[in-house]
Amino acid sequence: MPSARAIPTAALLSTATLLACSLASCAPAARDGDRRAHGGTASGRQDEAPFRGQTLNWKDCPAPSPVQGGGEAPAPLPDGTRWQCATLRAPLDWKKPSGESTGIALIRARAGGDRADRIGSLLFNFGGPGGSGVAALPGLAPDYEKLRSRYDLVSFDPRGVGDSQGVRCLDADAAEQAEAETDDTPDDGGDETAALVEFNRLTAAACARNSGAVLPHVGTTAAARDMDLIRHVLGDEKLHYFGVSYGTELGGVYAHLFPDKVGRAVLDGVVDPTRDMMAEALGQAGGFQLAYEHFAAWCVQQRCTLGEDTEAIVETAVALAADLDEAPLPTSNGGELGGDELVDAISGSLYSQSFWPALLVGLEALTQGDGDVLLDLAQSLGQHGAGGDTADDTGTDTDTDESNEDDAFRAITCADSSSRYPVAEVRRRLPEFIRTSPLFGPGLAWTALTCSGWPVPGEAEHPDVSAPGAPPVLLVGNTGDPATPYEGAARMAERLGEDVGVTLTYRGEGHGAFDGGNGCVRDAVHAYLLDGELPERGAVCEQDPLPPGK
């Protein structure tokens, strides 16, 4: 199933995360009373002083740990700059800074230009939530090399993620077995639904057993406070920030808490901060449906064999998924393609238009009884189950058997969102989801059960991102974005406040815009982050045409 907050740009998430990501834009910020109590200024409370006075011990980065996803140590950049890693100490509970502390894993590459031109640090969050920023940034560094002319590039594992006291729930074998026994879209009204409920119960119990001490403290509000501590310890007067997908929500919460500390900030693939968990899932069903219709229209232009028009191609996919639910198709490698895997392959392919040609080939092959291509897409763009290998955007396989990405996603989402839905409510809303998208709607509706039985209460239905007095924040909204639909940018701009949110529209496909390589978007982002020049209000960038698929 699709991800609401998004597959991180650096590494596509596993299907377990894709199933739940529709829940993700519900992370709350502290209420006004909390903001006053915790302090929204650079000085902070007196008992925070030891954390603000710390010195980071930067060293050459090792290989990402298994919980970060594994892989090789990051290679030096072309100019010889080496990646440096450090651990920041932060209060485990920001309400009690004198209590226990936790470690926040950091990575940076120093600015490569004239030090006199250096603006400061540029902090990244690539989405999820749950993705390791320490593991992700080196792979994405080529996209941000121009920004490194004036910034140190910095990212981090948010609390509960990777090496920042990563949350652990079911072990890989138990999770894989439970996933195999669970239907993502139960339709029997009995055993299948009970199995999904039981899977969520087992996962919640395992999270409480293995990570109970940190579960109350992994929400977005705490992560935003960590970001201000990072800013302070790095020596920056303002936080310069680049957030993608869930990272846009984290950026909005930071702006709410610390409006006077916002520097130059870009939010790309913008989460709608006005929706609760169920509304977010429904909105995303519409986003993926629209994106698939755009694919179908392109398919017609390619004279594909899936149908004579967009409507017919949509109906073809729905029929194929239903048939595969009834009778999964064996593949040549000994696997099988079921309805869930088909939806995984399609939804994963909609994150980037560059995947469309492969999706077209796979769907046409499926109509001829060959599911190999689509199963490969499902496994590489969103591995079904908790373990296995996933491929990042460069095509490099990453061992994720021990990654805690899915566990962290669930823990952060459920710490943020106060929404808890019974099975009866999902069933009541299911027809609305099916009307919105017969292909993606059912699976997204059932993700609303993700936080049922969670051992920690969530903070709020949706985040507070109001930031009166903050400087302009550049929001990049993509009209074809499946995971964070375009209207989220306008709603984020409205909630940030008058003269704060400045929206750049990208008429394109895929999730987010900057990492798609569009020259117009990149020029606008570079102009703001490097020179402080915002695009004109109402500015629009057009996507480059996709080469023919056949």
Side-chain angles (χ1 to χ4, degrees), residues 335-481:
E336 62 178 23
L337 181 75
D340 288 343
E341 287 80 12
L342 173 60
V343 175
D344 290 344
I346 295 174
S347 60
S349 298
L350 297 177
Y351 275 86
S352 172
Q353 198 175 21
S354 64
F355 299 139
W356 286 13
L359 178 60
L360 187 158
V361 170
L363 287 171
E364 289 189 328
L366 180 59
T367 63
Q368 302 300 313
D370 181 353
D372 286 8
V373 173
L374 288 173
L375 186 59
D376 285 345
L377 284 174
Q379 292 174 335
S380 62
L381 301 182
Q383 177 73 25
H384 189 71
D389 291 346
T390 57
D392 65 19
D393 287 345
T394 66
T396 303
D397 283 340
T398 304
D399 184 0
T400 60
D401 283 349
E402 298 183 60
S403 168
N404 88 315
E405 200 161 31
D406 296 337
D407 295 342
F409 173 86
R410 187 182 294 255
I412 295 168
T413 298
C414 298
D416 284 346
S417 175
S418 61
S419 300
R420 303 290 188 264
Y421 301 99
V423 170
E425 177 65 9
V426 176
R427 289 202 176 280
R428 187 183 73 81
R429 299 290 300 272
L430 193 56
E432 184 180 6
F433 277 80
I434 293 173
R435 286 193 301 272
T436 300
S437 175
L439 185 61
F440 304 107
L444 283 163
W446 286 107
T447 62
L449 296 181
T450 295
C451 296
S452 298
W454 192 251
V456 175
E459 274 194 52
E461 287 188 342
H462 53 75
D464 189 346
V465 298
S466 60
V473 175
L474 178 58
L475 311 177
V476 185
N478 181 350
T479 59
D481 196 315

Side-chain angles (χ1 to χ4, degrees), residues 9 37 64 71 73 86 102 115 144 150 166 190 195 225 247 264 282 292 299 312-313 329 355 375 386 453 472 511 535:
T9 311
T102 188
R115 298 298 292 178
Y144 305 114
R150 301 196 68 189
R225 296 190 180 283
R264 298 176 187 176
L282 183 61
Y292 187 69
C299 187
I313 293 171
L329 179 66
F355 299 139
L375 186 59
H511 181 41

